[in-house]
Amino acid sequence: IALQGEIKISTENSEGKKAEFVLYKKNIGLYIPSQCWHKIEFTNNAALLSFSSMEYDNSDYIRSYNEFRKQ
């Protein structure tokens, strides 16, 4: 959810399907499922609110796009 400003989110799923979204309203959110690569770009004044169903675990994340594409 964009609390302030605009946030552009580019996604790519494991089958290679790509999509782009722009969040700019406080009443609109975006669900990003697991196994979906995403890139987030913020305007200068943007603030993002995110929710998670699990506690953060750094070892559970793929940090390399090339590694993601191998999956």
Side-chain angles (χ1 to χ4, degrees):
I1 299 172
L3 296 179
Q4 182 174 306
E6 284 191 7
I7 301 167
K8 179 181 173 184
I9 303 173
S10 303
T11 63
E12 181 177 341
N13 69 16
S14 57
E15 287 82 40
K17 182 178 178 184
K18 297 179 181 182
E20 287 190 356
F21 306 90
V22 178
L23 299 177
Y24 59 92
K25 292 183 179 181
K26 293 180 185 178
N27 65 337
I28 303 290
L30 176 66
Y31 170 72
I32 301 175
S34 64
Q35 300 300 314
C36 187
W37 187 260
H38 59 281
K39 178 181 174 184
I40 303 173
E41 298 177 49
F42 297 85
T43 58
N44 288 339
N45 64 339
L48 174 68
L49 173 64
S50 63
F51 299 91
S52 174
S53 60
M54 297 172 55
E55 189 172 324
Y56 176 75
D57 179 1
N58 187 50
S59 66
D60 193 37
Y61 285 79
I62 298 172
R63 304 267 181 222
S64 163
Y65 178 75
N66 291 332
E67 185 179 336
F68 168 74
R69 291 305 309 151
K70 290 179 186 177
Q71 300 279 324

